[in-house]
């Protein structure tokens, strides 16, 4: 499995890639989304959900920490936002160690707050604003361990 990026993508390309991820990735999978506030983590999470077949709106789980959505083909999208997590042991109350189930696509915003509790096989995706080009994001996807493959990262990759 190779490192993808960094690619410079506008919001439309980030959404298109996210939809391909949601549609094409095998489950179970855990995808961690890192980046500063406003970098596009929630935009990418919603796009992954749309690609997976989530039909309902996906508000940010900042206050609830976790939302579950039925997706296509019997899969479930689990969307977590750990920004407001005060202590990693709070993850236990969310059923963290039961994630991911065989049919789950788990998207975690602010995964660093889990302090090393991500499964050994997962994706780490970093989004950063591009200095001087506010409409662009630098996006890097890095496998940790041996997670299921993601579609290639890039503005034209298979779109």
């Amino acid at each position: 499995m190779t490192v993808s990026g960094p690619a410079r993508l506008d919001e439309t390309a980030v959404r298109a890639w996210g939809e391909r991820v949601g549609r094409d990735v095998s489950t179970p999978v855990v995808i961690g989304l890192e980046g500063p506030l406003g970098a596009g983590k929630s935009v990418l999470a919603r796009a992954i959900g749309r690609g997976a077949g989530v039909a309902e709106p996906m508000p940010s789980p900042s206050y609830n920490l976790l939302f579950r959505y039925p997706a296509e083909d019997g899969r479930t999208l689990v969307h977590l936002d750990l920004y407001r997590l005060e202590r990693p042991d709070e993850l236990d109350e969310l059923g963290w160690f039961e994630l991911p189930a065989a049919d789950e696509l788990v998207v975690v915003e602010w995964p660093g707050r889990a302090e090393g509790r991500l499964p050994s096989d997962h994706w780490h995706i970093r989004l950063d604003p591009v200095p001087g080009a506010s409409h662009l994001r630098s996006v890097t996807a890095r496998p940790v361990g041996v997670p299921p493959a993601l579609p290639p990262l890039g503005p034209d990759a298979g779109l």
Side-chain angles (χ1 to χ4, degrees):
M1 199 148 309
T2 61
V3 174
S4 299
R8 290 181 169 208
L9 306 176
D10 63 17
E11 188 171 320
T12 300
V14 168
R15 286 180 179 169
W17 181 67
E19 288 178 11
R20 289 181 43 244
V21 168
R23 182 184 67 233
D24 297 345
V25 72
S26 297
T27 56
V29 64
V30 174
I31 300 171
L33 304 179
E34 285 279 1
L37 288 171
K41 296 179 296 296
S42 293
V43 168
L44 182 55
R46 283 188 205 60
I48 292 170
R50 273 192 308 280
V54 172
E56 62 190 277
M58 289 180 57
S60 175
S62 294
Y63 293 99
N64 295 29
L65 299 180
L66 180 146
F67 284 128
R68 290 179 178 275
Y69 301 97
E72 292 180 348
D73 301 328
R75 297 187 300 165
T76 300
L77 180 99
V78 181
H79 184 196
L80 296 101
D81 185 332
L82 304 182
Y83 182 75
R84 293 175 34 92
L85 197 71
E86 293 182 18
R87 298 176 326 277
D89 65 336
E90 290 178 86
L91 292 169
D92 299 342
E93 297 170 27
L94 299 174
W96 180 262
F97 293 106
E98 297 167 12
L99 298 173
D103 63 347
E104 290 179 334
L105 193 167
V106 179
V107 178
V108 183
E109 296 185 47
W110 300 95
R113 307 263 172 143
E115 293 187 6
R117 293 179 178 212
L118 289 176
S120 57
D121 299 322
H122 67 275
W123 279 96
H124 181 268
I125 299 175
R126 174 100 195 157
L127 297 102
D128 286 292
V130 174
S134 62
H135 68 290
L136 294 177
R137 297 294 179 259
S138 175
V139 183
T140 304
R142 179 177 56 87
V144 176
V146 187
L150 294 185
L153 177 60
D156 303 318
L159 299 177

